[in-house]
Amino acid sequence: MSGLINYASCTVLWLALLLKAPDLVRHRGDPYLRTICAVLGLAGMCFFLGAPPTVGAVNALGGIPNLAAPLTYAAITAYCAASQVLIVYWRGGPRVHRTARRWILAYAGVVAGVAITFALGDAPVERRTDLDTYYATTPFIAEMIVLYLVAHLTAVSVTTVSALRWARHVTGWLRAGLIVLGVGSLCNSGYSVSKLVAVVARWCGYDWSALGTTVAPAAAGLGALVTVTGVMLPLTAPRIAECRRARRTYARLAPLERALDDLLTRRSLRLPRPRFAAPGTLLMWRQTSIHNALSHLDVYFDRSLYDRTLGAALDATGSPERARATAWAAVIVAAAREDARRDPTALPPLDRTERLPEPLPGPADLTRIADALADAALIASAPVPTGTTTTGST
């Protein structure tokens, strides 16, 4: 009677809704996003209204025995409609809105049928957990029970088949999400199947109410957990992967930033580090600092040093990419030393006539240069630019 499964499932679903709320605020006109939020919100509402403590509170506040039953059934029916609309929007196509409207109208009719049959029926004894089997033979109340259960079973069956069939034609995280969604919908079918079996058994004179009070909530709770995972997987997994890539790239660039740290500090080229920033923001901050330093060092880059290092690295590694990264690393270290040797108040030298054969490295090149700089021997042995001396160098 505690409703622990219901409240736990409701919490999971509404937490997922909370995570999507910022996106909904920014893109409130997106029907696909609205439908996802509706699925999560209504699924949580189903579990919340179906919890025995909530059932008792609703019945007491409304002053009508078992008033919570049609409200819960209406929420379940609305959730079924939202699930179907989600699949429709997910698949896309030229008749998306028309198909979505048909599902909404069909299940609106089911909600109306639930309300009408409850109003016509008589359920004077409050039943918080076994109303389906207790009133399975009561006129109109029995029809209400069968109506919502058949509507639920139809919705989860269509969702399961549609999701698994469509998963065969897509790849990546969308395929994974569809498979998980299909499995979750299949688990959800255990809710309506177990309750229908218990109702039919009651018609036959057997008391199988335990199916509706134990098996059905467990199946619904498991189905909710798996379903929300399937819905959220294609939305969150790419972002998580992107954050992981940004975090790894940020860490890989650390040797290059350390090699330029003195220059960045002396010349005030580093922007303030953002606090509590996402990995992508931190990566952009580090890349910007590095590019600021490289732009300042451009006048010190030594063409002959680049060519010598490139040839030696190419002979040693046989990899053009690694050789270019090593040559850039040597040139950057030498240029940083040359800048450090000069008077901080002095103007930079005039541009050299022999420019490097390549433009400043891009984001992908920076990580390879940083990998080359991770070799401490390279930093220690990097020569100074051609035509300079080591006097006063650091």
Side-chain angles (χ1 to χ4, degrees):
M1 296 291 288
S2 66
L4 180 60
I5 293 178
N6 292 68
Y7 290 133
S9 302
C10 174
T11 301
V12 171
L13 289 160
W14 282 353
L15 281 176
L17 175 61
L18 187 63
L19 292 175
K20 294 304 298 176
D23 291 338
L24 181 61
V25 173
R26 288 192 298 267
H27 308 286
R28 59 177 60 90
D30 185 351
Y32 171 62
L33 188 56
R34 290 203 306 264
T35 305
I36 290 177
C37 293
V39 168
L40 297 175
L42 288 170
M45 183 63 69
C46 294
F47 285 105
F48 179 76
L49 290 175
T54 306
V55 170
V58 170
N59 293 338
L61 290 173
I64 301 175
N66 301 306
L67 175 63
L71 295 179
T72 304
Y73 300 163
I76 292 174
T77 304
Y79 163 73
C80 294
S83 299
Q84 297 307 306
V85 173
L86 175 61
I87 292 294
V88 170
Y89 280 123
W90 220 345
R91 290 183 64 95
R95 303 170 63 183
V96 169
H97 298 294
R98 180 183 301 178
T99 305
R101 281 195 298 270
R102 287 178 178 175
W103 278 112
I104 292 173
L105 290 174
Y107 278 90
V110 174
V111 171
V114 167
I116 292 171
T117 51
F118 180 77
L120 294 176
D122 184 23
V125 180
E126 181 186 65
R127 307 301 297 185
R128 297 190 180 185
T129 59
D130 62 345
L131 183 142
D132 300 309
T133 51
Y134 188 86
Y135 287 107
T137 57
T138 302
F140 294 109
I141 303 298
E143 283 78 1
M144 176 189 71
I145 294 168
V146 172
L147 179 62
Y148 100 87
L149 287 176
V150 170
H152 179 271
L153 182 59
T154 301
V156 295
S157 300
V158 172
T159 301
T160 300
V161 173
S162 300
L164 296 179
R165 180 182 297 171
W166 185 27
R168 294 183 296 178
H169 304 289
V170 294
T171 58
W173 289 113
L174 179 57
R175 176 186 177 90
L178 287 169
I179 292 175
V180 175
L181 176 62
V183 173
S185 298
L186 185 62
C187 293
N188 262 325
S189 67
Y191 172 84
S192 48
V193 168
S194 58
K195 282 186 172 288
L196 281 171
V197 170
V199 168
V200 172
R202 182 74 173 82
W203 293 345
C204 298
Y206 300 100
D207 183 12
W208 289 4
S209 58
L211 286 175
T213 57
T214 58
V215 177
L222 177 62
L225 180 61
V226 178
T227 298
V228 70
T229 302
V231 171
M232 299 299 291
L233 195 60
L235 303 174
T236 58
R239 295 183 182 180
I240 294 174
E242 183 179 350
C243 287
R244 291 180 61 186
R245 285 194 298 269
R247 191 177 292 110
R248 286 196 300 267
T249 304
Y250 176 83
R252 284 180 65 186
L253 288 175
L256 180 53
E257 188 186 18
R258 282 197 298 268
L260 298 170
D261 183 69
D262 178 66
L263 168 67
L264 290 168
T265 303
R266 283 187 296 102
R267 302 294 185 180
S268 300
L269 299 174
R270 182 189 281 118
L271 297 175
R273 189 179 192 275
R275 295 183 178 181
F276 311 108
T281 303
L282 288 175
L283 174 60
M284 184 178 298
W285 168 79
R286 178 163 281 180
Q287 289 174 335
T288 301
S289 299
I290 292 172
H291 275 292
N292 289 344
L294 296 183
S295 297
H296 177 82
L297 292 176
D298 180 65
V299 293
Y300 298 110
F301 289 157
D302 190 335
R303 170 67 181 269
S304 63
L305 174 61
Y306 179 89
D307 292 337
R308 293 198 310 272
T309 309
L310 179 65
L314 190 57
D315 291 339
T317 65
S319 170
E321 284 188 353
R322 291 180 60 187
R324 283 195 296 269
T326 303
W328 265 113
V331 167
I332 290 171
V333 170
R337 289 176 176 173
E338 175 67 10
D339 180 81
R341 188 185 66 82
R342 292 179 175 271
D343 184 352
T345 61
L347 294 175
L350 296 176
D351 288 352
R352 297 181 184 274
T353 56
E354 290 190 47
R355 310 296 295 178
L356 290 185
E358 300 180 19
L360 288 178
D365 298 317
L366 291 180
T367 55
R368 287 190 285 267
I369 295 171
D371 292 340
L373 281 169
D375 184 358
L378 172 63
I379 300 176
S381 62
V384 296
T386 303
T388 63
T389 66
T390 58
T391 303
S393 62
T394 57

